[in-house]
Amino acid sequence: MRLLSYLWLALLIGGFSSPALAYKTIDKDGKEVKNERKVRYRADCASAQAETDQNVNNVRARLRSGGDVWWDGDEGLYIVPNVQTTPKSSIFAGSVWLGGVDDEGNLKLACQDYRSNNNEDFWPGPLTPDQGTVSPDTCAQWDRFFTVRGENIRTHFQNYRRSCTNPETLEGCDYDPNTIPLDVKGWPATGNPFFRDVHGFDLPNTSQGLAGFYDVTPDNIYDPSTGDFPIIEIRGCDEILTLETTIDRALPDEMIFWIYNDAGGPHTASMGQPIRMEIQVQAFAYESDDELNNMTFQRYKLINRATAPIDSTFFAMWVDADLGCALDDYVGCDVDRSLAFIYNADAFDENCLGANGYQSEVPIVGVDYFRGPLGPKVRDTAIVVNPDDPNLLDTVVTFRNPGVGELGDTILELGMSSFTYYNNPGSEPTPEGATTDPNSPTEFYNYLTGSWRDGTPFTFGGSAYNPGSEDLVQYAFTEPPNDPNGWSMCALNLAPGDRRTIQASGPFRLLPGATNELIIGVVWTPNMQYP
């Protein structure tokens, strides 16, 4: 039954490692190497402190209020399977990356990687709609998570329906607000009249909305006393979902909402200039007895609060996926599915650097890029012979990303426009320094836009780093690992290592007030056959 829920969701959407290994550099003997990046500023807002666990199925995933997820600032905490004894983590950390160039040529960037030692590009809380600013008090108030359980939502709506003289048409309802479950009552959705009573501060007034809700009335105001209830907000779904299908098939077992921004202080992680982006997140998951029980999802609503446009903009999901032991991982992608995946280099995942390995039961973890921002595409039309009747001709229309100097003629969802990766410099399996961690705004932006740290394009073959090659690619390692003749780390028998991946969408022009979204799903399959 829950698999049906996942298929329905997919239709709607479209279609423990060592703490030192990540935010410090470790050589192959386990010794610490001095990190090049240094803290230069003190943020106006205090650093984010809140943490919570997404913990409703076979995954226990740490969430943090400062833009980075799946770790606690010290060790990876994307625990699958969800056990307390000898836990194993499949991902070390992850974050949304954003970047573009304003009309004066200034690079605007927010690329959080390892938020520690005051290396931060994000702070809690919403921005003011007019100027894109935030006060320390607002940051402090919103340094929290709002969690709601699916069972409480269903109980709430059943109670509301019972209060009506006509439960089918929801007429003549007299619902006692004191019976509303507290998580439903305090949901941070637009206009919630109970929010201040529950949380002690006011909701912002914003035309772009806040947490998603089903508007039973409808009046564009979240009021649970009139039957409204929390849902996942996904672009276009309000035109598809009915009340019954939402209650019966589209409600997750847990939803967690929080807001953060990149304007709370100077960027000491990427050293880039702030964009003034507000990011509203809904993490959700389902408890089931099928594959869905091993999955988690995150929906990011990105609201540009800047007063000027940004060109050559890219949004991305950055992931440091340490599959048990971080030193023996391979990466690849499935372009058609917008899927990045991380797998072990061999059939045994040992313990290393304090992390529990998966031993002989090695999984594969993937990050599915369900939805990206809207932007220009080029429409191409071709006349082809009908495959069933050679006397007939068919018109085939396809869409692609604009090339250099080319303008798009159609606005569509961009999807995953590039998949790239880079290596932990302490475990780097190749000698090229250009394939390691970024340390300047330009280097972050190069990775974000689909190039290596030094600006060298990704190229087909080998490790994808081959300066001078003209065989340029947007996606690295696109063939299945079990294809002996395909382009994969496994088929090439490349050296194992600790890698980070970037799934990006762009380029596009980001306008003031624009609202975009990213939706990702983390999929996990146990006990794969290796190599």
Side-chain angles (χ1 to χ4, degrees):
M1 183 64 183
R2 285 301 187 188
L3 182 58
L4 292 176
S5 297
Y6 172 64
L7 294 175
W8 174 256
L9 176 66
L11 174 64
L12 297 181
I13 292 176
F16 273 141
S17 88
S18 163
L21 188 60
Y23 64 86
K24 298 176 185 175
T25 300
I26 299 296
D27 66 20
K28 294 179 181 179
D29 296 323
K31 296 179 180 179
E32 183 179 343
V33 179
K34 187 176 182 181
N35 197 314
E36 295 179 30
R37 271 186 283 163
K38 300 180 184 297
V39 177
R40 299 183 188 175
Y41 308 102
R42 184 177 65 84
D44 297 330
C45 284
S47 299
Q49 300 296 321
E51 297 186 8
T52 192
D53 280 342
Q54 192 173 2
N55 188 18
V56 73
N57 55 17
N58 197 38
V59 183
R60 175 161 44 93
R62 180 60 51 89
L63 305 175
R64 308 179 81 200
S65 57
D68 48 343
V69 294
W70 303 328
W71 75 316
D72 64 355
D74 189 42
E75 59 186 3
L77 290 177
Y78 194 90
I79 307 299
V80 199
N82 188 354
V83 296
Q84 298 295 329
T85 304
T86 317
K88 303 173 182 68
S89 178
S90 289
I91 303 178
F92 188 89
S95 178
V96 167
W97 281 17
L98 315 166
V101 181
D102 68 14
D103 290 343
E104 285 73 42
N106 299 307
L107 181 58
K108 302 298 184 74
L109 205 64
C111 297
Q112 184 68 64
D113 49 9
Y114 310 105
R115 186 170 56 87
S116 58
N117 299 324
N118 293 320
N119 280 342
E120 53 198 347
D121 277 12
F122 293 116
W123 295 264
L127 300 176
T128 58
D130 52 348
Q131 295 294 323
T133 60
V134 63
S135 70
D137 287 345
T138 298
C139 288
Q141 287 172 341
W142 286 87
D143 193 4
R144 66 179 66 200
F145 295 90
F146 304 87
T147 301
V148 64
R149 299 295 296 243
E151 59 186 340
N152 291 342
I153 297 173
R154 293 184 179 90
T155 297
H156 155 67
F157 188 73
Q158 289 168 0
N159 291 341
Y160 175 72
R161 176 167 273 170
R162 292 191 190 103
S163 77
C164 303
T165 56
N166 190 332
E168 296 302 319
T169 61
L170 301 179
E171 294 177 319
C173 305
D174 185 16
Y175 188 33
D176 182 0
N178 294 319
T179 65
I180 302 173
L182 192 61
D183 53 354
V184 176
K185 195 172 188 177
W187 189 240
T190 300
N192 182 357
F194 304 104
F195 185 84
R196 167 168 273 281
D197 292 339
V198 175
H199 299 292
F201 60 98
D202 292 324
L203 286 167
N205 183 12
T206 168
S207 61
Q208 289 90 351
L210 295 163
F213 68 98
Y214 195 96
D215 197 3
V216 174
T217 337
D219 56 4
N220 297 318
I221 297 295
Y222 177 72
D223 186 349
S225 69
T226 62
D228 297 345
F229 56 89
I231 61 169
I232 312 158
E233 181 187 12
I234 297 174
R235 184 175 60 226
C237 284
D238 55 348
E239 301 172 2
I240 302 173
L241 287 174
T242 65
L243 179 60
E244 297 305 326
T245 56
T246 302
I247 287 290
D248 292 342
R249 291 194 282 174
L251 279 183
D253 289 293
E254 182 181 67
M255 287 185 283
I256 303 173
F257 179 85
W258 71 104
I259 301 178
Y260 62 93
N261 68 83
D262 84 317
H267 291 193
T268 53
S270 68
M271 301 297 176
Q273 296 186 29
I275 298 172
R276 302 199 178 279
M277 187 71 73
E278 178 181 317
I279 303 175
Q280 302 178 7
V281 195
Q282 266 183 274
F284 54 99
Y286 298 84
E287 184 180 14
S288 68
D289 56 4
D290 51 38
E291 296 89 343
L292 193 57
N293 203 49
N294 294 326
M295 301 179 187
T296 62
F297 304 88
Q298 290 178 6
R299 189 260 186 180
Y300 295 86
K301 179 163 67 174
L302 303 113
I303 306 171
N304 181 24
R305 300 295 190 192
T307 58
I310 304 173
D311 271 319
S312 302
T313 306
F314 289 81
F315 291 170
M317 191 69 199
W318 168 86
V319 177
D320 180 359
D322 296 350
L323 195 64
C325 175
L327 297 177
D328 58 355
D329 291 345
Y330 282 162
V331 301
C333 76
D334 184 324
V335 176
D336 291 338
R337 291 180 172 87
S338 294
L339 175 73
F341 53 85
I342 298 87
Y343 58 107
N344 218 52
D346 54 35
F348 189 84
D349 183 43
E350 65 274 10
N351 300 336
C352 73
L353 298 169
N356 294 317
Y358 281 94
Q359 309 297 306
S360 60
E361 298 181 352
V362 191
I364 286 181
V365 66
V367 178
D368 202 334
Y369 201 88
F370 280 120
R371 173 162 285 182
L374 299 174
K377 290 272 192 176
V378 176
R379 177 188 179 101
D380 290 331
T381 304
I383 305 299
V384 300
V385 176
N386 187 297
D388 299 321
D389 186 346
N391 295 315
L392 296 177
L393 298 179
D394 290 339
T395 300
V396 177
V397 178
T398 58
F399 297 92
R400 58 180 172 83
N401 293 326
V404 177
E406 190 176 21
L407 297 177
D409 53 21
T410 307
I411 300 298
L412 293 174
E413 187 177 316
L414 294 178
M416 188 176 78
S417 58
S418 67
F419 167 78
T420 57
Y421 79 102
Y422 60 91
N423 303 294
N424 184 320
S427 67
E428 186 185 8
T430 55
E432 299 91 355
T435 69
T436 60
D437 290 354
N439 284 300
S440 72
T442 299
E443 292 177 355
F444 275 96
Y445 188 66
N446 283 342
Y447 277 128
L448 186 60
T449 57
S451 297
W452 290 103
R453 161 177 144 170
D454 64 352
T456 299
F458 273 69
T459 53
F460 182 81
S463 68
Y465 185 76
N466 185 16
S469 171
E470 296 182 357
D471 195 357
L472 309 184
V473 295
Q474 294 175 295
Y475 309 92
F477 306 116
T478 54
E479 303 297 329
N482 60 354
D483 180 355
N485 300 313
W487 185 33
S488 72
M489 287 186 165
C490 181
L492 294 172
N493 196 29
L494 296 181
D498 177 24
R499 273 94 181 195
R500 302 81 152 92
T501 63
I502 305 159
Q503 295 159 270
S505 289
F508 63 99
R509 184 170 173 84
L510 181 65
L511 299 177
T515 299
N516 281 283
E517 69 179 4
L518 296 178
I519 302 177
I520 61 135
V522 181
V523 296
W524 187 89
T525 303
N527 303 335
M528 297 300 296
Q529 182 177 354
Y530 281 84

